[in-house]
């Protein structure tokens, strides 16, 4: 939600009050140019920078009594930089895709928060040459390890997947941390906790 504070005159003139005499401008420079610049600055602050897509943030409840769909709660949607996804494998936009997964073993909360922020900035900033392939991002906070994943639309598009993966590695400064790409179809049929990766960076 964006709250815009409107300017109000705290001391409105009285309708029948005495007239206010204009101050003398003798010996003072013309302020028209200065007022014009101030007006342009105020107008610039009111402008918003549109994104190529509208993005939606979702919160996933950790409630095993609910279905995957019911555990997801929409937080907000935004389509401008200033107003800064409903991820489901079965969704038509996702089912043929995959995800880049970053597994963070016992990482401090601040590290997870910083990585998540950098991921969001990559997404809304359209940082990839194949940004049209990016569906969204998910962060999973768990007892043993935390995971951040970036979902893409087409797992068969090797060029797009690798370009996005390499850009993520550079932007997130992962160092020796592995970045693994998994297909959603493999994740859906997994029998244990491990999912095979088709790319590792």
């Amino acid at each position: 939600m964006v709250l815009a504070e409107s300017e109000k005159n705290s001391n409105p003139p009285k309708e029948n009050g005495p007239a206010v005499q204009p101050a003398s401008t003798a010996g003072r420079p013309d302020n028209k140019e200065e007022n014009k610049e101030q007006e342009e600055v105020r107008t610039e602050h009111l402008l918003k920078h549109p994104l190529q897509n509208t993005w939606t943030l979702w919160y996933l409840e950790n409630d095993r009594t609910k279905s995957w769909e019911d555990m997801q709660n929409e937080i907000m949607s935004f389509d401008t930089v200033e107003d800064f996804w409903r991820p489901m494998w079965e969704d038509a936009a996702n089912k043929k895709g995959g995800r880049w997964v970053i597994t963070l073993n016992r990482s401090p909360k601040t590290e997870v928060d910083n990585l998540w922020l950098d991921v969001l900035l990559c997404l809304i900033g359209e940082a990839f040459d194949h940004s049209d392939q990016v569906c969204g991002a998910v962060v999973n906070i768990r007892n043993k390890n935390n995971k951040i994943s970036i979902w893409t639309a087409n797992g068969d598009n090797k060029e797009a997947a690798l370009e996005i993966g390499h850009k993520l590695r550079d932007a997130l400064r992962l160092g020796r941390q592995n970045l693994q790409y998994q297909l959603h179809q493999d994740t859906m049929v997994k029998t244990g906790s491990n999912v095979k990766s088709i790319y590792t960076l």
Side-chain angles (χ1 to χ4, degrees), residues 55-60 68 72 85-88 94 98-102 115-124 128 133-140 147-152 168 172 184:
W55 295 89
T56 302
L57 298 179
W58 296 82
Y59 167 70
L60 179 67
W68 175 262
Q72 297 186 79
W85 126 33
R86 183 168 184 155
M88 295 180 66
N94 301 325
R99 60 180 182 170
W100 281 108
V101 181
I102 308 164
L115 280 174
W116 178 241
L117 176 60
D118 287 342
V119 166
L120 293 181
L121 292 175
C122 285
L123 266 60
I124 67 174
F128 312 105
Q133 286 289 306
V134 178
C135 298
V138 176
V139 58
N140 299 109
K147 291 184 178 181
I148 295 177
S149 56
I150 296 84
W151 290 28
T152 68
L168 279 172
L172 304 181
H184 292 324

mmCIF file of all heavy atoms in Angstrom, residues 55-60 68 72 85-88 94 98-102 115-124 128 133-140 147-152 168 172 184:
data_model
loop_
_atom_site.group_PDB
_atom_site.id
_atom_site.type_symbol
_atom_site.label_atom_id
_atom_site.label_comp_id
_atom_site.label_asym_id
_atom_site.label_seq_id
_atom_site.Cartn_x
_atom_site.Cartn_y
_atom_site.Cartn_z
ATOM 1 N N TRP A 55 4.294 -7.849 -10.138
ATOM 2 C CA TRP A 55 4.814 -8.896 -9.258
ATOM 3 C C TRP A 55 3.947 -9.003 -8.008
ATOM 4 O O TRP A 55 3.459 -8.002 -7.486
ATOM 5 C CB TRP A 55 6.256 -8.588 -8.849
ATOM 6 C CG TRP A 55 7.198 -8.616 -10.002
ATOM 7 C CD1 TRP A 55 7.530 -7.572 -10.822
ATOM 8 C CD2 TRP A 55 7.902 -9.751 -10.509
ATOM 9 N NE1 TRP A 55 8.401 -7.994 -11.797
ATOM 10 C CE2 TRP A 55 8.651 -9.315 -11.627
ATOM 11 C CE3 TRP A 55 7.989 -11.086 -10.122
ATOM 12 C CZ2 TRP A 55 9.471 -10.165 -12.360
ATOM 13 C CZ3 TRP A 55 8.801 -11.936 -10.850
ATOM 14 C CH2 TRP A 55 9.533 -11.476 -11.953
ATOM 15 N N THR A 56 3.749 -10.236 -7.531
ATOM 16 C CA THR A 56 2.939 -10.490 -6.346
ATOM 17 C C THR A 56 3.766 -11.235 -5.313
ATOM 18 O O THR A 56 4.446 -12.204 -5.641
ATOM 19 C CB THR A 56 1.693 -11.328 -6.695
ATOM 20 O OG1 THR A 56 0.918 -10.638 -7.683
ATOM 21 C CG2 THR A 56 0.837 -11.552 -5.450
ATOM 22 N N LEU A 57 3.724 -10.770 -4.058
ATOM 23 C CA LEU A 57 4.416 -11.439 -2.964
ATOM 24 C C LEU A 57 3.423 -12.332 -2.224
ATOM 25 O O LEU A 57 2.309 -11.916 -1.916
ATOM 26 C CB LEU A 57 5.004 -10.414 -1.984
ATOM 27 C CG LEU A 57 6.063 -9.469 -2.543
ATOM 28 C CD1 LEU A 57 6.528 -8.506 -1.455
ATOM 29 C CD2 LEU A 57 7.239 -10.240 -3.104
ATOM 30 N N TRP A 58 3.858 -13.570 -1.934
ATOM 31 C CA TRP A 58 3.021 -14.540 -1.235
ATOM 32 C C TRP A 58 3.738 -15.022 0.016
ATOM 33 O O TRP A 58 4.962 -15.133 0.053
ATOM 34 C CB TRP A 58 2.722 -15.742 -2.134
ATOM 35 C CG TRP A 58 1.925 -15.393 -3.350
ATOM 36 C CD1 TRP A 58 2.391 -14.882 -4.527
ATOM 37 C CD2 TRP A 58 0.512 -15.521 -3.511
ATOM 38 N NE1 TRP A 58 1.368 -14.684 -5.400
ATOM 39 C CE2 TRP A 58 0.202 -15.073 -4.817
ATOM 40 C CE3 TRP A 58 -0.509 -15.990 -2.684
ATOM 41 C CZ2 TRP A 58 -1.095 -15.067 -5.304
ATOM 42 C CZ3 TRP A 58 -1.810 -15.986 -3.172
ATOM 43 C CH2 TRP A 58 -2.093 -15.523 -4.467
ATOM 44 N N TYR A 59 2.948 -15.321 1.051
ATOM 45 C CA TYR A 59 3.488 -15.905 2.287
ATOM 46 C C TYR A 59 2.975 -17.331 2.412
ATOM 47 O O TYR A 59 1.769 -17.579 2.307
ATOM 48 C CB TYR A 59 3.040 -15.091 3.504
ATOM 49 C CG TYR A 59 3.297 -15.793 4.824
ATOM 50 C CD1 TYR A 59 4.593 -15.971 5.291
ATOM 51 C CD2 TYR A 59 2.234 -16.293 5.581
ATOM 52 C CE1 TYR A 59 4.836 -16.622 6.484
ATOM 53 C CE2 TYR A 59 2.470 -16.948 6.778
ATOM 54 C CZ TYR A 59 3.767 -17.109 7.232
ATOM 55 O OH TYR A 59 4.013 -17.765 8.402
ATOM 56 N N LEU A 60 3.892 -18.293 2.615
ATOM 57 C CA LEU A 60 3.524 -19.703 2.715
ATOM 58 C C LEU A 60 3.485 -20.123 4.185
ATOM 59 O O LEU A 60 4.496 -20.098 4.878
ATOM 60 C CB LEU A 60 4.525 -20.573 1.946
ATOM 61 C CG LEU A 60 4.260 -22.086 1.984
ATOM 62 C CD1 LEU A 60 2.975 -22.413 1.226
ATOM 63 C CD2 LEU A 60 5.431 -22.845 1.384
ATOM 64 N N TRP A 68 -1.490 -27.290 -0.321
ATOM 65 C CA TRP A 68 -0.464 -26.347 -0.779
ATOM 66 C C TRP A 68 -1.091 -25.005 -1.171
ATOM 67 O O TRP A 68 -0.573 -23.939 -0.848
ATOM 68 C CB TRP A 68 0.276 -26.956 -1.959
ATOM 69 C CG TRP A 68 1.277 -26.052 -2.618
ATOM 70 C CD1 TRP A 68 1.094 -25.311 -3.743
ATOM 71 C CD2 TRP A 68 2.601 -25.762 -2.177
ATOM 72 N NE1 TRP A 68 2.225 -24.590 -4.044
ATOM 73 C CE2 TRP A 68 3.171 -24.855 -3.089
ATOM 74 C CE3 TRP A 68 3.377 -26.194 -1.097
ATOM 75 C CZ2 TRP A 68 4.455 -24.374 -2.962
ATOM 76 C CZ3 TRP A 68 4.669 -25.711 -0.976
ATOM 77 C CH2 TRP A 68 5.197 -24.816 -1.893
ATOM 78 N N GLN A 72 -1.014 -20.743 1.016
ATOM 79 C CA GLN A 72 -0.437 -19.537 0.426
ATOM 80 C C GLN A 72 -1.347 -18.335 0.635
ATOM 81 O O GLN A 72 -2.546 -18.394 0.391
ATOM 82 C CB GLN A 72 -0.187 -19.756 -1.066
ATOM 83 C CG GLN A 72 0.821 -20.867 -1.298
ATOM 84 C CD GLN A 72 1.178 -20.999 -2.741
ATOM 85 O OE1 GLN A 72 1.974 -20.220 -3.269
ATOM 86 N NE2 GLN A 72 0.576 -21.960 -3.410
ATOM 87 N N TRP A 85 4.388 -14.111 -6.066
ATOM 88 C CA TRP A 85 4.044 -14.819 -7.305
ATOM 89 C C TRP A 85 3.278 -15.943 -6.748
ATOM 90 O O TRP A 85 3.407 -16.248 -5.670
ATOM 91 C CB TRP A 85 5.347 -14.927 -7.885
ATOM 92 C CG TRP A 85 5.618 -16.317 -8.196
ATOM 93 C CD1 TRP A 85 4.903 -17.335 -8.581
ATOM 94 C CD2 TRP A 85 6.885 -16.748 -8.140
ATOM 95 N NE1 TRP A 85 5.618 -18.344 -8.833
ATOM 96 C CE2 TRP A 85 6.837 -18.020 -8.549
ATOM 97 C CE3 TRP A 85 8.079 -16.084 -7.727
ATOM 98 C CZ2 TRP A 85 7.967 -18.728 -8.618
ATOM 99 C CZ3 TRP A 85 9.162 -16.802 -7.830
ATOM 100 C CH2 TRP A 85 9.099 -18.147 -8.277
ATOM 101 N N ARG A 86 2.496 -16.336 -7.140
ATOM 102 C CA ARG A 86 1.897 -17.480 -6.505
ATOM 103 C C ARG A 86 2.537 -18.709 -7.098
ATOM 104 O O ARG A 86 2.117 -19.213 -8.135
ATOM 105 C CB ARG A 86 0.405 -17.487 -6.719
ATOM 106 C CG ARG A 86 -0.268 -18.633 -5.997
ATOM 107 C CD ARG A 86 -1.727 -18.376 -6.029
ATOM 108 N NE ARG A 86 -2.394 -19.388 -5.272
ATOM 109 C CZ ARG A 86 -3.573 -19.231 -4.705
ATOM 110 N NH1 ARG A 86 -4.211 -18.102 -4.838
ATOM 111 N NH2 ARG A 86 -4.123 -20.204 -4.030
ATOM 112 N N PRO A 87 3.557 -19.242 -6.453
ATOM 113 C CA PRO A 87 4.315 -20.329 -7.061
ATOM 114 C C PRO A 87 3.652 -21.685 -6.862
ATOM 115 O O PRO A 87 3.549 -22.174 -5.751
ATOM 116 C CB PRO A 87 5.655 -20.261 -6.328
ATOM 117 C CG PRO A 87 5.322 -19.668 -5.000
ATOM 118 C CD PRO A 87 4.158 -18.761 -5.218
ATOM 119 N N MET A 88 3.182 -22.294 -7.935
ATOM 120 C CA MET A 88 2.636 -23.641 -7.892
ATOM 121 C C MET A 88 3.172 -24.409 -9.087
ATOM 122 O O MET A 88 3.153 -23.905 -10.203
ATOM 123 C CB MET A 88 1.105 -23.623 -7.920
ATOM 124 C CG MET A 88 0.463 -22.984 -6.695
ATOM 125 S SD MET A 88 -1.340 -22.997 -6.790
ATOM 126 C CE MET A 88 -1.655 -24.762 -6.716
ATOM 127 N N ASN A 94 4.189 -22.509 -14.895
ATOM 128 C CA ASN A 94 5.327 -23.090 -14.177
ATOM 129 C C ASN A 94 5.602 -24.560 -14.462
ATOM 130 O O ASN A 94 6.738 -25.012 -14.300
ATOM 131 C CB ASN A 94 5.108 -22.945 -12.657
ATOM 132 C CG ASN A 94 4.959 -21.513 -12.222
ATOM 133 O OD1 ASN A 94 5.589 -20.620 -12.773
ATOM 134 N ND2 ASN A 94 4.112 -21.267 -11.235
ATOM 135 N N GLY A 98 11.455 -24.889 -14.230
ATOM 136 C CA GLY A 98 12.344 -25.392 -13.194
ATOM 137 C C GLY A 98 12.747 -24.268 -12.270
ATOM 138 O O GLY A 98 12.161 -23.179 -12.308
ATOM 139 N N ARG A 99 13.755 -24.527 -11.462
ATOM 140 C CA ARG A 99 14.172 -23.507 -10.491
ATOM 141 C C ARG A 99 15.660 -23.622 -10.180
ATOM 142 O O ARG A 99 16.229 -24.716 -10.147
ATOM 143 C CB ARG A 99 13.374 -23.665 -9.194
ATOM 144 C CG ARG A 99 13.552 -25.032 -8.532
ATOM 145 C CD ARG A 99 12.755 -25.146 -7.252
ATOM 146 N NE ARG A 99 12.983 -26.442 -6.609
ATOM 147 C CZ ARG A 99 12.577 -26.762 -5.396
ATOM 148 N NH1 ARG A 99 11.895 -25.873 -4.672
ATOM 149 N NH2 ARG A 99 12.835 -27.959 -4.883
ATOM 150 N N TRP A 100 16.258 -22.461 -9.974
ATOM 151 C CA TRP A 100 17.607 -22.403 -9.440
ATOM 152 C C TRP A 100 17.490 -22.387 -7.926
ATOM 153 O O TRP A 100 16.774 -21.564 -7.364
ATOM 154 C CB TRP A 100 18.332 -21.151 -9.921
ATOM 155 C CG TRP A 100 18.869 -21.253 -11.311
ATOM 156 C CD1 TRP A 100 18.400 -20.633 -12.428
ATOM 157 C CD2 TRP A 100 19.993 -22.034 -11.737
ATOM 158 N NE1 TRP A 100 19.148 -20.978 -13.530
ATOM 159 C CE2 TRP A 100 20.139 -21.835 -13.128
ATOM 160 C CE3 TRP A 100 20.885 -22.888 -11.081
ATOM 161 C CZ2 TRP A 100 21.148 -22.459 -13.872
ATOM 162 C CZ3 TRP A 100 21.888 -23.503 -11.819
ATOM 163 C CH2 TRP A 100 22.016 -23.288 -13.195
ATOM 164 N N VAL A 101 18.193 -23.294 -7.256
ATOM 165 C CA VAL A 101 18.074 -23.436 -5.801
ATOM 166 C C VAL A 101 19.391 -23.110 -5.116
ATOM 167 O O VAL A 101 20.446 -23.612 -5.503
ATOM 168 C CB VAL A 101 17.629 -24.860 -5.414
ATOM 169 C CG1 VAL A 101 17.492 -24.977 -3.893
ATOM 170 C CG2 VAL A 101 16.316 -25.218 -6.087
ATOM 171 N N ILE A 102 19.308 -22.256 -4.109
ATOM 172 C CA ILE A 102 20.445 -21.945 -3.251
ATOM 173 C C ILE A 102 20.123 -22.530 -1.882
ATOM 174 O O ILE A 102 19.140 -22.133 -1.247
ATOM 175 C CB ILE A 102 20.667 -20.430 -3.117
ATOM 176 C CG1 ILE A 102 20.726 -19.769 -4.494
ATOM 177 C CG2 ILE A 102 21.917 -20.126 -2.306
ATOM 178 C CD1 ILE A 102 20.556 -18.262 -4.444
ATOM 179 N N LEU A 115 20.505 -12.017 1.045
ATOM 180 C CA LEU A 115 20.404 -12.734 -0.219
ATOM 181 C C LEU A 115 19.001 -12.592 -0.808
ATOM 182 O O LEU A 115 18.848 -12.395 -2.017
ATOM 183 C CB LEU A 115 20.745 -14.213 -0.023
ATOM 184 C CG LEU A 115 22.224 -14.577 0.051
ATOM 185 C CD1 LEU A 115 22.389 -16.051 0.396
ATOM 186 C CD2 LEU A 115 22.926 -14.260 -1.268
ATOM 187 N N TRP A 116 17.982 -12.708 0.040
ATOM 188 C CA TRP A 116 16.605 -12.573 -0.424
ATOM 189 C C TRP A 116 16.363 -11.193 -1.011
ATOM 190 O O TRP A 116 15.716 -11.046 -2.058
ATOM 191 C CB TRP A 116 15.646 -12.865 0.723
ATOM 192 C CG TRP A 116 14.191 -12.722 0.387
ATOM 193 C CD1 TRP A 116 13.291 -11.872 0.948
ATOM 194 C CD2 TRP A 116 13.450 -13.478 -0.599
ATOM 195 N NE1 TRP A 116 12.049 -12.036 0.385
ATOM 196 C CE2 TRP A 116 12.120 -13.018 -0.557
ATOM 197 C CE3 TRP A 116 13.797 -14.485 -1.500
ATOM 198 C CZ2 TRP A 116 11.124 -13.530 -1.403
ATOM 199 C CZ3 TRP A 116 12.807 -15.000 -2.337
ATOM 200 C CH2 TRP A 116 11.496 -14.523 -2.283
ATOM 201 N N LEU A 117 16.857 -10.163 -0.354
ATOM 202 C CA LEU A 117 16.711 -8.808 -0.867
ATOM 203 C C LEU A 117 17.388 -8.662 -2.220
ATOM 204 O O LEU A 117 16.819 -8.082 -3.156
ATOM 205 C CB LEU A 117 17.292 -7.804 0.124
ATOM 206 C CG LEU A 117 17.297 -6.335 -0.327
ATOM 207 C CD1 LEU A 117 15.879 -5.847 -0.613
ATOM 208 C CD2 LEU A 117 17.955 -5.450 0.723
ATOM 209 N N ASP A 118 18.606 -9.217 -2.359
ATOM 210 C CA ASP A 118 19.325 -9.129 -3.634
ATOM 211 C C ASP A 118 18.580 -9.873 -4.742
ATOM 212 O O ASP A 118 18.555 -9.425 -5.895
ATOM 213 C CB ASP A 118 20.739 -9.693 -3.487
ATOM 214 C CG ASP A 118 21.653 -8.772 -2.690
ATOM 215 O OD1 ASP A 118 21.313 -7.588 -2.549
ATOM 216 O OD2 ASP A 118 22.701 -9.253 -2.204
ATOM 217 N N VAL A 119 17.968 -11.022 -4.402
ATOM 218 C CA VAL A 119 17.175 -11.770 -5.384
ATOM 219 C C VAL A 119 15.990 -10.923 -5.852
ATOM 220 O O VAL A 119 15.705 -10.826 -7.057
ATOM 221 C CB VAL A 119 16.681 -13.109 -4.792
ATOM 222 C CG1 VAL A 119 15.592 -13.719 -5.667
ATOM 223 C CG2 VAL A 119 17.844 -14.087 -4.656
ATOM 224 N N LEU A 120 15.287 -10.299 -4.911
ATOM 225 C CA LEU A 120 14.136 -9.464 -5.284
ATOM 226 C C LEU A 120 14.555 -8.302 -6.175
ATOM 227 O O LEU A 120 13.858 -7.953 -7.136
ATOM 228 C CB LEU A 120 13.437 -8.935 -4.026
ATOM 229 C CG LEU A 120 12.747 -9.964 -3.140
ATOM 230 C CD1 LEU A 120 12.090 -9.276 -1.941
ATOM 231 C CD2 LEU A 120 11.707 -10.751 -3.928
ATOM 232 N N LEU A 121 15.691 -7.710 -5.864
ATOM 233 C CA LEU A 121 16.175 -6.599 -6.683
ATOM 234 C C LEU A 121 16.523 -7.067 -8.096
ATOM 235 O O LEU A 121 16.298 -6.346 -9.069
ATOM 236 C CB LEU A 121 17.395 -5.949 -6.021
ATOM 237 C CG LEU A 121 17.123 -5.196 -4.714
ATOM 238 C CD1 LEU A 121 18.427 -4.714 -4.089
ATOM 239 C CD2 LEU A 121 16.172 -4.023 -4.948
ATOM 240 N N CYS A 122 17.070 -8.284 -8.221
ATOM 241 C CA CYS A 122 17.361 -8.849 -9.553
ATOM 242 C C CYS A 122 16.074 -9.039 -10.336
ATOM 243 O O CYS A 122 16.012 -8.756 -11.542
ATOM 244 C CB CYS A 122 18.083 -10.188 -9.424
ATOM 245 S SG CYS A 122 19.821 -10.078 -8.950
ATOM 246 N N LEU A 123 15.030 -9.502 -9.663
ATOM 247 C CA LEU A 123 13.765 -9.780 -10.344
ATOM 248 C C LEU A 123 13.079 -8.500 -10.797
ATOM 249 O O LEU A 123 12.769 -8.330 -11.966
ATOM 250 C CB LEU A 123 12.828 -10.588 -9.435
ATOM 251 C CG LEU A 123 12.874 -12.112 -9.618
ATOM 252 C CD1 LEU A 123 14.257 -12.652 -9.336
ATOM 253 C CD2 LEU A 123 11.842 -12.789 -8.722
ATOM 254 N N ILE A 124 12.837 -7.594 -9.865
ATOM 255 C CA ILE A 124 12.080 -6.398 -10.230
ATOM 256 C C ILE A 124 12.909 -5.433 -11.065
ATOM 257 O O ILE A 124 12.360 -4.585 -11.772
ATOM 258 C CB ILE A 124 11.514 -5.674 -8.988
ATOM 259 C CG1 ILE A 124 12.639 -5.083 -8.128
ATOM 260 C CG2 ILE A 124 10.632 -6.608 -8.179
ATOM 261 C CD1 ILE A 124 12.138 -4.251 -6.977
ATOM 262 N N PHE A 128 18.113 -9.821 -15.973
ATOM 263 C CA PHE A 128 18.523 -10.911 -16.844
ATOM 264 C C PHE A 128 18.187 -10.610 -18.302
ATOM 265 O O PHE A 128 17.206 -9.937 -18.600
ATOM 266 C CB PHE A 128 17.824 -12.207 -16.420
ATOM 267 C CG PHE A 128 17.901 -12.480 -14.947
ATOM 268 C CD1 PHE A 128 16.791 -12.286 -14.137
ATOM 269 C CD2 PHE A 128 19.080 -12.908 -14.363
ATOM 270 C CE1 PHE A 128 16.858 -12.524 -12.778
ATOM 271 C CE2 PHE A 128 19.162 -13.150 -13.006
ATOM 272 C CZ PHE A 128 18.044 -12.954 -12.208
ATOM 273 N N GLN A 133 11.621 -15.184 -18.928
ATOM 274 C CA GLN A 133 11.580 -16.577 -18.493
ATOM 275 C C GLN A 133 11.448 -16.717 -16.975
ATOM 276 O O GLN A 133 11.190 -17.798 -16.463
ATOM 277 C CB GLN A 133 12.846 -17.309 -18.950
ATOM 278 C CG GLN A 133 12.882 -17.629 -20.431
ATOM 279 C CD GLN A 133 11.886 -18.718 -20.794
ATOM 280 O OE1 GLN A 133 11.885 -19.806 -20.221
ATOM 281 N NE2 GLN A 133 11.019 -18.416 -21.746
ATOM 282 N N VAL A 134 11.618 -15.625 -16.254
ATOM 283 C CA VAL A 134 11.560 -15.674 -14.791
ATOM 284 C C VAL A 134 10.115 -15.585 -14.322
ATOM 285 O O VAL A 134 9.392 -14.651 -14.668
ATOM 286 C CB VAL A 134 12.402 -14.540 -14.172
ATOM 287 C CG1 VAL A 134 12.289 -14.567 -12.655
ATOM 288 C CG2 VAL A 134 13.856 -14.666 -14.597
ATOM 289 N N CYS A 135 9.690 -16.572 -13.521
ATOM 290 C CA CYS A 135 8.315 -16.601 -13.000
ATOM 291 C C CYS A 135 8.207 -16.000 -11.601
ATOM 292 O O CYS A 135 7.147 -15.501 -11.220
ATOM 293 C CB CYS A 135 7.796 -18.035 -12.962
ATOM 294 S SG CYS A 135 7.710 -18.835 -14.565
ATOM 295 N N GLY A 136 9.261 -16.080 -10.819
ATOM 296 C CA GLY A 136 9.204 -15.555 -9.457
ATOM 297 C C GLY A 136 10.284 -16.158 -8.591
ATOM 298 O O GLY A 136 11.222 -16.782 -9.081
ATOM 299 N N ALA A 137 10.150 -15.983 -7.268
ATOM 300 C CA ALA A 137 11.142 -16.484 -6.334
ATOM 301 C C ALA A 137 10.468 -16.945 -5.048
ATOM 302 O O ALA A 137 9.397 -16.466 -4.694
ATOM 303 C CB ALA A 137 12.183 -15.400 -6.034
ATOM 304 N N VAL A 138 11.112 -17.883 -4.357
ATOM 305 C CA VAL A 138 10.575 -18.448 -3.117
ATOM 306 C C VAL A 138 11.690 -18.528 -2.091
ATOM 307 O O VAL A 138 12.830 -18.865 -2.431
ATOM 308 C CB VAL A 138 10.000 -19.864 -3.347
ATOM 309 C CG1 VAL A 138 9.529 -20.477 -2.027
ATOM 310 C CG2 VAL A 138 8.866 -19.834 -4.346
ATOM 311 N N VAL A 139 11.374 -18.208 -0.835
ATOM 312 C CA VAL A 139 12.322 -18.432 0.254
ATOM 313 C C VAL A 139 11.667 -19.390 1.239
ATOM 314 O O VAL A 139 10.516 -19.207 1.630
ATOM 315 C CB VAL A 139 12.738 -17.109 0.948
ATOM 316 C CG1 VAL A 139 11.546 -16.352 1.507
ATOM 317 C CG2 VAL A 139 13.766 -17.385 2.040
ATOM 318 N N ASN A 140 12.392 -20.459 1.603
ATOM 319 C CA ASN A 140 11.914 -21.442 2.568
ATOM 320 C C ASN A 140 12.790 -21.399 3.812
ATOM 321 O O ASN A 140 14.000 -21.624 3.731
ATOM 322 C CB ASN A 140 11.949 -22.862 1.988
ATOM 323 C CG ASN A 140 11.056 -23.017 0.767
ATOM 324 O OD1 ASN A 140 11.536 -23.152 -0.343
ATOM 325 N ND2 ASN A 140 9.756 -22.997 0.971
ATOM 326 N N LYS A 147 16.323 -22.305 2.104
ATOM 327 C CA LYS A 147 16.484 -22.359 0.652
ATOM 328 C C LYS A 147 15.871 -21.124 0.008
ATOM 329 O O LYS A 147 14.826 -20.644 0.426
ATOM 330 C CB LYS A 147 15.818 -23.611 0.072
ATOM 331 C CG LYS A 147 16.496 -24.916 0.440
ATOM 332 C CD LYS A 147 15.819 -26.093 -0.251
ATOM 333 C CE LYS A 147 16.532 -27.400 0.095
ATOM 334 N NZ LYS A 147 15.897 -28.559 -0.591
ATOM 335 N N ILE A 148 16.561 -20.638 -1.008
ATOM 336 C CA ILE A 148 16.026 -19.585 -1.870
ATOM 337 C C ILE A 148 16.016 -20.136 -3.285
ATOM 338 O O ILE A 148 17.011 -20.703 -3.741
ATOM 339 C CB ILE A 148 16.882 -18.307 -1.800
ATOM 340 C CG1 ILE A 148 16.829 -17.694 -0.398
ATOM 341 C CG2 ILE A 148 16.403 -17.280 -2.838
ATOM 342 C CD1 ILE A 148 17.713 -16.473 -0.223
ATOM 343 N N SER A 149 14.899 -20.029 -3.969
ATOM 344 C CA SER A 149 14.817 -20.553 -5.335
ATOM 345 C C SER A 149 14.215 -19.514 -6.269
ATOM 346 O O SER A 149 13.354 -18.732 -5.873
ATOM 347 C CB SER A 149 14.000 -21.850 -5.376
ATOM 348 O OG SER A 149 12.707 -21.661 -4.837
ATOM 349 N N ILE A 150 14.705 -19.523 -7.490
ATOM 350 C CA ILE A 150 14.227 -18.623 -8.545
ATOM 351 C C ILE A 150 13.628 -19.501 -9.633
ATOM 352 O O ILE A 150 14.306 -20.360 -10.194
ATOM 353 C CB ILE A 150 15.381 -17.755 -9.116
ATOM 354 C CG1 ILE A 150 15.922 -16.823 -8.023
ATOM 355 C CG2 ILE A 150 14.879 -16.914 -10.293
ATOM 356 C CD1 ILE A 150 16.961 -17.477 -7.130
ATOM 357 N N TRP A 151 12.344 -19.303 -9.912
ATOM 358 C CA TRP A 151 11.618 -20.168 -10.842
ATOM 359 C C TRP A 151 11.672 -19.618 -12.262
ATOM 360 O O TRP A 151 11.559 -18.406 -12.477
ATOM 361 C CB TRP A 151 10.163 -20.292 -10.401
ATOM 362 C CG TRP A 151 9.964 -21.086 -9.142
ATOM 363 C CD1 TRP A 151 10.863 -21.237 -8.110
ATOM 364 C CD2 TRP A 151 8.799 -21.831 -8.784
ATOM 365 N NE1 TRP A 151 10.318 -22.029 -7.139
ATOM 366 C CE2 TRP A 151 9.065 -22.412 -7.517
ATOM 367 C CE3 TRP A 151 7.576 -22.057 -9.401
ATOM 368 C CZ2 TRP A 151 8.121 -23.200 -6.854
ATOM 369 C CZ3 TRP A 151 6.641 -22.845 -8.743
ATOM 370 C CH2 TRP A 151 6.921 -23.418 -7.484
ATOM 371 N N THR A 152 11.839 -20.538 -13.227
ATOM 372 C CA THR A 152 11.822 -20.150 -14.638
ATOM 373 C C THR A 152 10.723 -20.927 -15.368
ATOM 374 O O THR A 152 10.281 -21.985 -14.916
ATOM 375 C CB THR A 152 13.173 -20.408 -15.325
ATOM 376 O OG1 THR A 152 13.407 -21.813 -15.425
ATOM 377 C CG2 THR A 152 14.309 -19.751 -14.548
ATOM 378 N N LEU A 168 22.803 -14.732 -11.567
ATOM 379 C CA LEU A 168 22.520 -14.850 -10.134
ATOM 380 C C LEU A 168 23.796 -15.045 -9.331
ATOM 381 O O LEU A 168 23.992 -14.406 -8.282
ATOM 382 C CB LEU A 168 21.562 -16.017 -9.879
ATOM 383 C CG LEU A 168 20.080 -15.760 -10.104
ATOM 384 C CD1 LEU A 168 19.300 -17.061 -9.990
ATOM 385 C CD2 LEU A 168 19.545 -14.732 -9.107
ATOM 386 N N LEU A 172 24.682 -12.254 -6.594
ATOM 387 C CA LEU A 172 24.582 -12.643 -5.191
ATOM 388 C C LEU A 172 25.931 -12.923 -4.543
ATOM 389 O O LEU A 172 26.002 -13.172 -3.345
ATOM 390 C CB LEU A 172 23.694 -13.891 -5.053
ATOM 391 C CG LEU A 172 22.284 -13.777 -5.639
ATOM 392 C CD1 LEU A 172 21.509 -15.066 -5.402
ATOM 393 C CD2 LEU A 172 21.543 -12.593 -5.035
ATOM 394 N N HIS A 184 10.784 -28.838 -12.303
ATOM 395 C CA HIS A 184 9.618 -29.024 -11.436
ATOM 396 C C HIS A 184 9.063 -30.444 -11.548
ATOM 397 O O HIS A 184 8.579 -31.016 -10.571
ATOM 398 C CB HIS A 184 8.522 -28.013 -11.793
ATOM 399 C CG HIS A 184 8.883 -26.599 -11.464
ATOM 400 N ND1 HIS A 184 9.631 -26.258 -10.351
ATOM 401 C CD2 HIS A 184 8.594 -25.425 -12.087
ATOM 402 C CE1 HIS A 184 9.790 -24.948 -10.315
ATOM 403 N NE2 HIS A 184 9.168 -24.420 -11.350
#
